[in-house]
Amino acid sequence: MASGNAIRGSRVGAGPMGEAERGETAPRLRISFWCSNGHETQPSFASDAQVPDTWDCPRCGFPAGTDQENPPDPPRTEPYKTHLAYVRERRSDEDGEAILAEALAKLRGEL
């Protein structure tokens, strides 16, 4: 038999929340965005809000646009560069040879 506690599992203030208590919801628009992988997402915006040109796809993270036929291109990710790759961008092979020769001369005690 039940214990007789009618509000078991409830908390103070809990109850049916209707439109009368919360107020009316703002009018909304659902806009479709498509990414380059063909994923569609439909966020809702307030009817008087400015809709952005792009939206991040929640599935793949690529940018999505409102034109299904021409979605935005995915961002180009640069590969990880090592310290040596950055040095090679700043110095030519001749500069590297000169620095190496100077370092070796210093090690040998010639300078």
Side-chain angles (χ1 to χ4, degrees):
M1 180 162 190
S3 66
N5 189 354
I7 60 170
R8 185 173 185 184
S10 295
R11 59 182 171 79
V12 175
M17 293 287 287
E19 292 293 323
E21 291 183 30
R22 284 188 279 175
E24 293 185 23
T25 58
R28 299 272 175 189
L29 295 174
R30 292 189 70 79
I31 307 293
S32 292
F33 288 89
W34 288 272
C35 70
S36 60
N37 287 333
H39 302 140
E40 179 185 12
T41 184
Q42 292 184 329
S44 62
F45 298 95
S47 62
D48 58 346
Q50 183 178 355
V51 177
D53 295 332
T54 60
W55 191 261
D56 289 340
C57 177
R59 291 181 62 190
C60 63
F62 286 173
T66 55
D67 186 5
Q68 185 177 8
E69 300 301 320
N70 297 313
D73 293 328
R76 185 170 173 230
T77 56
E78 295 292 327
Y80 174 76
K81 288 185 184 179
T82 63
H83 176 70
L84 183 59
Y86 284 110
V87 170
R88 285 187 174 155
E89 284 181 1
R90 291 192 320 262
R91 310 242 187 226
S92 65
D93 288 339
E94 294 81 24
D95 291 340
E97 291 294 328
I99 292 170
L100 178 62
E102 182 181 335
L104 288 175
K106 191 179 284 187
L107 283 174
R108 293 182 182 134
E110 296 174 7
L111 288 178

